[in-house]
Amino acid sequence: MAVSRRRHLTAVAAVVAVAALTAGCDSVDKALDCVHTADSIADSVTALQQAVENAANDPTQADESLDSIEKNLDKIGDRTDHADVNKAVDGLKKAVGNVRTAIKNGDKTPDVSPVTDAAGELTKVCTK
């Protein structure tokens, strides 16, 4: 997993370098913020998947992971006016809300694949 993450970050760095050559510094700073926050969200999604798998041991872990994702989504939303990023943020917020609702309704193993898919979409638009 560490190798995959390094490859991902290397690819992101290359995209940011190209963006730096074609755009102003403000755009690059926003892109970097988006990428770093999307990376944090990816970590939270992984933690959410593990929390759902271990829900019987500690049901609060899923809530903590969902809170972390939402906090990071707020960071991205506050820092960008990019339509595709905002759309991806909204999609991820909806997916997180659906998982939270499922847990509140007693689902001990909610389907987190929509969260994973939405997080992937966010990462994709952050690195465009």
Side-chain angles (χ1 to χ4, degrees):
M1 181 152 205
V3 172
S4 175
R5 173 170 268 214
R6 268 187 256 134
R7 284 185 186 144
H8 173 73
L9 290 176
T10 300
V12 169
V15 169
V16 170
V18 171
L21 295 172
T22 60
C25 291
D26 190 42
S27 296
V28 173
D29 288 342
K30 285 182 181 181
L32 280 172
D33 285 344
C34 185
V35 168
H36 287 297
T37 306
D39 192 47
S40 295
I41 289 171
D43 290 342
S44 297
V45 170
T46 300
L48 174 62
Q49 290 169 325
Q50 292 170 348
V52 167
E53 290 172 9
N54 299 319
N57 298 332
D58 186 0
T60 63
Q61 283 183 350
D63 276 336
E64 291 171 7
S65 296
L66 292 168
D67 290 344
S68 176
I69 294 169
E70 288 174 331
K71 180 180 170 186
N72 282 312
L73 287 173
D74 289 342
K75 285 182 190 176
I76 292 176
D78 291 344
R79 293 181 181 163
T80 187
D81 57 357
H82 190 277
D84 289 339
V85 171
N86 285 330
K87 183 178 176 182
V89 166
D90 290 345
L92 187 47
K93 282 182 180 181
K94 181 178 178 184
V96 166
N98 290 342
V99 170
R100 193 179 294 280
T101 298
I103 291 170
K104 286 181 182 178
N105 290 338
D107 188 348
K108 297 196 186 293
T109 56
D111 180 14
V112 297
S113 61
V115 173
T116 304
D117 294 344
E121 181 62 23
L122 178 60
T123 300
K124 186 171 101 179
V125 298
C126 282
T127 56
K128 276 187 175 178

